[in-house]
Amino acid sequence: MQRKVFCASAPSDVYRAVSTANGRERFWADAAPETNGVIAFRLADGRTDESRINDAVQDQRYQLRHFGRTLSFTLTPGEGGGTDLTLESDDPADCVEVVALLLRLKALVDFGVDLRNHDGTRTHAYADS
């Protein structure tokens, strides 16, 4: 299953958001430090995962094994600027989560906005947690 979004930001900005701890912690996770190719995710709902990075090609592709499924971010320079971003998951049940993740990423890189609610009592079934 894959979903796409257009970001007005350059591929380097989008790639930095998904490939660095600081970037991931601004739209995705409460904590996401990386050591030796493994990201220690801690999400707002308290779940944790040791996510192995499978592939990282600067400004083009970032793939990791995350909570038992593979997530692949593919970045393509948009015509006239910006980035066409595709997020693919090998789990068909991920549709809602993938769309929420893409929109939070776009809000961060294009507008500097964190769309998450940051309320620990509102995490289950909330797209903005």
PDB file of all heavy atoms in Angstrom, residues 1 45 47-48 59 84 98 114 119 125-126 128:
ATOM      1  N   MET A   1       0.843  -1.162   0.000  1.00  0.00           N
ATOM      2  CA  MET A   1       0.000   0.000   0.000  1.00  0.00           C
ATOM      3  C   MET A   1       0.895   1.234   0.000  1.00  0.00           C
ATOM      4  O   MET A   1       1.853   1.290   0.748  1.00  0.00           O
ATOM      5  CB  MET A   1      -0.877  -0.055   1.252  1.00  0.00           C
ATOM      6  CG  MET A   1      -1.913   0.998   1.398  1.00  0.00           C
ATOM      7  SD  MET A   1      -1.439   2.558   2.111  1.00  0.00           S
ATOM      8  CE  MET A   1      -0.560   2.094   3.535  1.00  0.00           C
ATOM      9  N   ASP A  45       2.094   7.186  22.452  1.00  0.00           N
ATOM     10  CA  ASP A  45       1.250   6.261  23.213  1.00  0.00           C
ATOM     11  C   ASP A  45       2.060   5.314  24.096  1.00  0.00           C
ATOM     12  O   ASP A  45       1.518   4.402  24.705  1.00  0.00           O
ATOM     13  CB  ASP A  45       0.344   5.464  22.272  1.00  0.00           C
ATOM     14  CG  ASP A  45       1.108   4.579  21.301  1.00  0.00           C
ATOM     15  OD1 ASP A  45       2.356   4.502  21.384  1.00  0.00           O
ATOM     16  OD2 ASP A  45       0.450   3.964  20.437  1.00  0.00           O
ATOM     17  N   ARG A  47       4.423   3.178  23.119  1.00  0.00           N
ATOM     18  CA  ARG A  47       5.023   2.035  22.424  1.00  0.00           C
ATOM     19  C   ARG A  47       6.468   2.344  22.053  1.00  0.00           C
ATOM     20  O   ARG A  47       6.807   3.498  21.757  1.00  0.00           O
ATOM     21  CB  ARG A  47       4.246   1.693  21.143  1.00  0.00           C
ATOM     22  CG  ARG A  47       2.873   1.138  21.410  1.00  0.00           C
ATOM     23  CD  ARG A  47       2.160   0.781  20.114  1.00  0.00           C
ATOM     24  NE  ARG A  47       2.002   1.985  19.287  1.00  0.00           N
ATOM     25  CZ  ARG A  47       2.002   1.999  17.956  1.00  0.00           C
ATOM     26  NH1 ARG A  47       2.150   0.878  17.276  1.00  0.00           N
ATOM     27  NH2 ARG A  47       1.843   3.122  17.301  1.00  0.00           N
ATOM     28  N   THR A  48       7.291   1.309  22.057  1.00  0.00           N
ATOM     29  CA  THR A  48       8.690   1.449  21.662  1.00  0.00           C
ATOM     30  C   THR A  48       9.024   0.395  20.622  1.00  0.00           C
ATOM     31  O   THR A  48       8.385  -0.660  20.556  1.00  0.00           O
ATOM     32  CB  THR A  48       9.638   1.297  22.872  1.00  0.00           C
ATOM     33  OG1 THR A  48       9.471  -0.016  23.427  1.00  0.00           O
ATOM     34  CG2 THR A  48       9.364   2.354  23.926  1.00  0.00           C
ATOM     35  N   ASP A  59      18.619  12.019   0.116  1.00  0.00           N
ATOM     36  CA  ASP A  59      17.682  12.815  -0.675  1.00  0.00           C
ATOM     37  C   ASP A  59      16.863  12.003  -1.671  1.00  0.00           C
ATOM     38  O   ASP A  59      16.168  12.577  -2.501  1.00  0.00           O
ATOM     39  CB  ASP A  59      18.403  13.955  -1.411  1.00  0.00           C
ATOM     40  CG  ASP A  59      19.140  14.888  -0.466  1.00  0.00           C
ATOM     41  OD1 ASP A  59      18.845  14.876   0.745  1.00  0.00           O
ATOM     42  OD2 ASP A  59      20.022  15.626  -0.943  1.00  0.00           O
ATOM     43  N   ASP A  84       8.115  15.230  -4.618  1.00  0.00           N
ATOM     44  CA  ASP A  84       7.045  14.241  -4.628  1.00  0.00           C
ATOM     45  C   ASP A  84       7.499  13.138  -3.678  1.00  0.00           C
ATOM     46  O   ASP A  84       8.532  12.510  -3.893  1.00  0.00           O
ATOM     47  CB  ASP A  84       6.822  13.674  -6.026  1.00  0.00           C
ATOM     48  CG  ASP A  84       6.103  14.657  -6.932  1.00  0.00           C
ATOM     49  OD1 ASP A  84       5.097  15.244  -6.463  1.00  0.00           O
ATOM     50  OD2 ASP A  84       6.530  14.845  -8.075  1.00  0.00           O
ATOM     51  N   VAL A  98      -0.346   5.732   7.657  1.00  0.00           N
ATOM     52  CA  VAL A  98       0.531   6.264   6.617  1.00  0.00           C
ATOM     53  C   VAL A  98       0.086   7.664   6.198  1.00  0.00           C
ATOM     54  O   VAL A  98       0.909   8.571   6.065  1.00  0.00           O
ATOM     55  CB  VAL A  98       0.578   5.301   5.410  1.00  0.00           C
ATOM     56  CG1 VAL A  98       1.162   5.965   4.179  1.00  0.00           C
ATOM     57  CG2 VAL A  98       1.397   4.056   5.770  1.00  0.00           C
ATOM     58  N   ASP A 114       4.028  21.344  14.019  1.00  0.00           N
ATOM     59  CA  ASP A 114       3.869  20.005  14.575  1.00  0.00           C
ATOM     60  C   ASP A 114       2.378  19.779  14.802  1.00  0.00           C
ATOM     61  O   ASP A 114       1.771  20.424  15.665  1.00  0.00           O
ATOM     62  CB  ASP A 114       4.650  19.900  15.892  1.00  0.00           C
ATOM     63  CG  ASP A 114       4.590  18.520  16.517  1.00  0.00           C
ATOM     64  OD1 ASP A 114       3.825  17.663  16.046  1.00  0.00           O
ATOM     65  OD2 ASP A 114       5.322  18.319  17.510  1.00  0.00           O
ATOM     66  N   ASP A 119      -0.926  15.143  23.852  1.00  0.00           N
ATOM     67  CA  ASP A 119      -1.754  14.857  25.022  1.00  0.00           C
ATOM     68  C   ASP A 119      -1.713  13.349  25.251  1.00  0.00           C
ATOM     69  O   ASP A 119      -2.292  12.586  24.479  1.00  0.00           O
ATOM     70  CB  ASP A 119      -3.185  15.342  24.768  1.00  0.00           C
ATOM     71  CG  ASP A 119      -4.118  15.123  25.953  1.00  0.00           C
ATOM     72  OD1 ASP A 119      -3.794  14.317  26.858  1.00  0.00           O
ATOM     73  OD2 ASP A 119      -5.185  15.752  25.963  1.00  0.00           O
ATOM     74  N   ALA A 125      -6.171   5.675  18.716  1.00  0.00           N
ATOM     75  CA  ALA A 125      -7.083   5.965  17.601  1.00  0.00           C
ATOM     76  C   ALA A 125      -7.110   7.437  17.217  1.00  0.00           C
ATOM     77  O   ALA A 125      -7.989   7.857  16.466  1.00  0.00           O
ATOM     78  CB  ALA A 125      -8.498   5.443  17.882  1.00  0.00           C
ATOM     79  N   TYR A 126      -6.170   8.227  17.715  1.00  0.00           N
ATOM     80  CA  TYR A 126      -6.076   9.629  17.304  1.00  0.00           C
ATOM     81  C   TYR A 126      -5.032   9.747  16.197  1.00  0.00           C
ATOM     82  O   TYR A 126      -3.899   9.312  16.370  1.00  0.00           O
ATOM     83  CB  TYR A 126      -5.671  10.531  18.475  1.00  0.00           C
ATOM     84  CG  TYR A 126      -6.801  10.842  19.411  1.00  0.00           C
ATOM     85  CD1 TYR A 126      -7.227   9.922  20.354  1.00  0.00           C
ATOM     86  CD2 TYR A 126      -7.454  12.073  19.348  1.00  0.00           C
ATOM     87  CE1 TYR A 126      -8.263  10.205  21.218  1.00  0.00           C
ATOM     88  CE2 TYR A 126      -8.500  12.360  20.205  1.00  0.00           C
ATOM     89  CZ  TYR A 126      -8.900  11.410  21.139  1.00  0.00           C
ATOM     90  OH  TYR A 126      -9.931  11.708  21.986  1.00  0.00           O
ATOM     91  N   ASP A 128      -3.593  12.336  15.264  1.00  0.00           N
ATOM     92  CA  ASP A 128      -2.631  13.395  15.573  1.00  0.00           C
ATOM     93  C   ASP A 128      -1.793  13.102  16.818  1.00  0.00           C
ATOM     94  O   ASP A 128      -1.269  13.993  17.440  1.00  0.00           O
ATOM     95  CB  ASP A 128      -3.340  14.733  15.721  1.00  0.00           C
ATOM     96  CG  ASP A 128      -4.340  14.761  16.862  1.00  0.00           C
ATOM     97  OD1 ASP A 128      -4.734  13.691  17.352  1.00  0.00           O
ATOM     98  OD2 ASP A 128      -4.734  15.869  17.262  1.00  0.00           O
TER      99      ASP A 128
END
